[in-house]
Amino acid sequence: RASPDEYNRHYYDLMTVKTRDKADFQFYSDSLVLSAMEYFKKNGTDTVRAEAFYYAGRVARMLGDSPQALDYMQNALNSLDDSHTRLKGKISSQMGQIFLNLYLFEQAKTRFKDAVIYNRDSRDSLALFFNYTNLGENSYWLQEYDSSLVYYKQALDLTDFNSKCKGKRLHILMHLANYYINTNDTINAVSAYNELERIATKQKKLNLIKRLGLRIGAFLNDSEICGSIAGNLVNSQSVYDKKDAYGVLFQLALKNNQPDKIHEYAEKYIEAIETINNNSSKNAVIHQNSLYNYSLREKENAKLKKSQSALTIGILITVVVCVLLLLILSTIHMRAKKVKME
């Protein structure tokens, strides 16, 4: 039996991991959480056991092992009954995010829909907001554009009627504005951006929508808007901001026949593209490794299920044969007894 001191030590370790995760701490090791997880496999309540698996999954995901993260989180779900809707919603949302990042959109959709059911039951409106937003993004990748818009609008509706979600209106409007640009809906794109600009100005967060403003300017073919925003974005720390800004400035220099500027902006644009490509190559390797590992685990799970099924059938056949043998022996015994009595 576990001692109180041992339980408290492992529980303290688990709460340490939980606190660091909430504070966006970058994990470089999983030793602390795995120690707690192994302990709580056999000790503690279902909730604590599920949290241990969940945070082991969070750390595994941060360390780049998405398949292992999914395994841990599935174990977390399996540890809970249907009364733990809030925690199950949290776990399902995380699994959906992992699948989305792996571009496994059908699996992601299933998990996000599960999360919606759990979070409705627990009345977790903020979690629902992110579920709808994620479903909107995931549906867009699946080219289910009508569904994407429905989910985005469901998230937007929550910001109208729910006090916990009001502060997220800027977030969902950015998704909607990008959606409208991508689907060539000029009127709604401009309307969404105008509201975004009002909110961002009020909250002093105009820097968050500059790239989107650049997209709107290019979408409307408005050189004045593009030039103004691009001139600010070149000083950004983000290489993606620089890439978009120099791309627009290059186009404007071509349009205005400015040879010196054309050369300068082209060089800066190419430099930003190369930086992004280098980063993308590293991320692509990690992504491919994760997909490969996930497919291997799925094959192993399929083999395991097949072998378990074969074992079950074998046991069933053995039991049936034994029963038949007993019946035959019983019949023989009864006949022999009857002959003897005669």
Side-chain angles (χ1 to χ4, degrees), residues 27 65 92-93 137 178 190 219 248 261-262 281 324 342:
F27 290 93
D65 193 347
S92 297
S93 296
E137 181 183 355
N178 277 304
V190 172
F219 184 57
V248 167
K261 294 294 183 183
I262 291 171
S281 297
L324 287 173
E342 290 175 353

Side-chain angles (χ1 to χ4, degrees), residues 120 129 132 147 149-159:
R120 276 178 182 164
F129 169 84
Y132 287 137
S147 294
L149 184 58
V150 167
Y151 287 128
Y152 280 147
K153 285 189 173 180
Q154 283 179 303
L156 185 67
D157 287 344
L158 283 172
T159 67

Side-chain angles (χ1 to χ4, degrees), residues 116-182:
V116 166
I117 293 169
Y118 292 132
N119 290 322
R120 276 178 182 164
D121 287 344
S122 65
R123 298 181 180 180
D124 190 339
S125 54
L126 190 58
L128 262 179
F129 169 84
F130 287 111
N131 293 156
Y132 287 137
T133 304
N134 288 328
L135 277 166
E137 181 183 355
N138 193 74
S139 296
Y140 187 86
W141 281 105
L142 285 168
Q143 298 182 359
E144 298 170 353
Y145 301 121
D146 289 343
S147 294
S148 178
L149 184 58
V150 167
Y151 287 128
Y152 280 147
K153 285 189 173 180
Q154 283 179 303
L156 185 67
D157 287 344
L158 283 172
T159 67
D160 282 328
F161 305 114
N162 193 286
S163 58
K164 290 183 180 178
C165 301
K166 281 186 178 179
K168 300 299 178 184
R169 194 169 181 85
L170 187 74
H171 178 86
I172 189 58
L173 281 170
M174 289 180 73
H175 280 280
L176 273 169
N178 277 304
Y179 172 88
Y180 290 132
I181 292 171
N182 293 336

Side-chain angles (χ1 to χ4, degrees), residues 17 47 72 78 102 138 274:
V17 172
T47 304
Y72 288 146
N78 295 342
L102 290 173
N138 193 74
E274 288 176 347

Side-chain angles (χ1 to χ4, degrees), residues 1-212:
R1 186 178 177 181
S3 69
D5 286 345
E6 188 179 11
Y7 180 94
N8 290 337
R9 178 171 61 83
H10 285 293
Y11 188 74
Y12 176 81
D13 289 344
L14 179 59
M15 292 302 102
T16 298
V17 172
K18 183 176 181 177
T19 302
R20 289 176 178 176
D21 181 62
K22 284 189 174 182
D24 295 325
F25 179 85
Q26 177 63 50
F27 290 93
Y28 296 100
S29 170
D30 58 5
S31 58
L32 191 65
V33 73
L34 290 187
S35 175
M37 184 191 76
E38 288 299 325
Y39 176 80
F40 287 117
K41 278 183 182 179
K42 299 177 181 178
N43 302 281
T45 64
D46 290 345
T47 304
V48 173
R49 186 176 303 110
E51 282 201 320
F53 279 122
Y54 172 76
Y55 284 106
R58 288 281 294 166
V59 173
R61 180 187 177 189
M62 199 173 293
L63 294 177
D65 193 347
S66 296
Q68 184 63 71
L70 288 168
D71 279 354
Y72 288 146
M73 290 191 179
Q74 186 60 57
N75 286 334
L77 278 179
N78 295 342
S79 301
L80 299 167
D81 61 31
D82 289 338
S83 65
H84 297 85
T85 52
R86 186 178 291 269
L87 184 51
K88 291 184 87 167
K90 185 177 179 181
I91 296 165
S92 297
S93 296
Q94 280 295 312
M95 293 180 77
Q97 273 291 339
I98 294 171
F99 281 125
L100 180 58
N101 292 340
L102 290 173
Y103 306 146
L104 297 171
F105 303 119
E106 288 295 343
Q107 293 92 325
K109 179 164 70 172
T110 299
R111 293 301 181 178
F112 286 137
K113 284 187 172 182
D114 288 345
V116 166
I117 293 169
Y118 292 132
N119 290 322
R120 276 178 182 164
D121 287 344
S122 65
R123 298 181 180 180
D124 190 339
S125 54
L126 190 58
L128 262 179
F129 169 84
F130 287 111
N131 293 156
Y132 287 137
T133 304
N134 288 328
L135 277 166
E137 181 183 355
N138 193 74
S139 296
Y140 187 86
W141 281 105
L142 285 168
Q143 298 182 359
E144 298 170 353
Y145 301 121
D146 289 343
S147 294
S148 178
L149 184 58
V150 167
Y151 287 128
Y152 280 147
K153 285 189 173 180
Q154 283 179 303
L156 185 67
D157 287 344
L158 283 172
T159 67
D160 282 328
F161 305 114
N162 193 286
S163 58
K164 290 183 180 178
C165 301
K166 281 186 178 179
K168 300 299 178 184
R169 194 169 181 85
L170 187 74
H171 178 86
I172 189 58
L173 281 170
M174 289 180 73
H175 280 280
L176 273 169
N178 277 304
Y179 172 88
Y180 290 132
I181 292 171
N182 293 336
T183 53
N184 294 312
D185 187 340
T186 306
I187 294 173
N188 281 315
V190 172
S191 174
Y193 182 75
N194 286 339
E195 185 178 352
L196 261 173
E197 198 169 33
R198 287 195 299 272
I199 295 172
T201 301
K202 187 176 180 180
Q203 296 180 1
K204 298 181 179 179
K205 293 180 178 178
L206 279 170
N207 59 311
L208 294 180
I209 66 167
K210 282 181 180 177
R211 274 182 74 201
L212 182 58

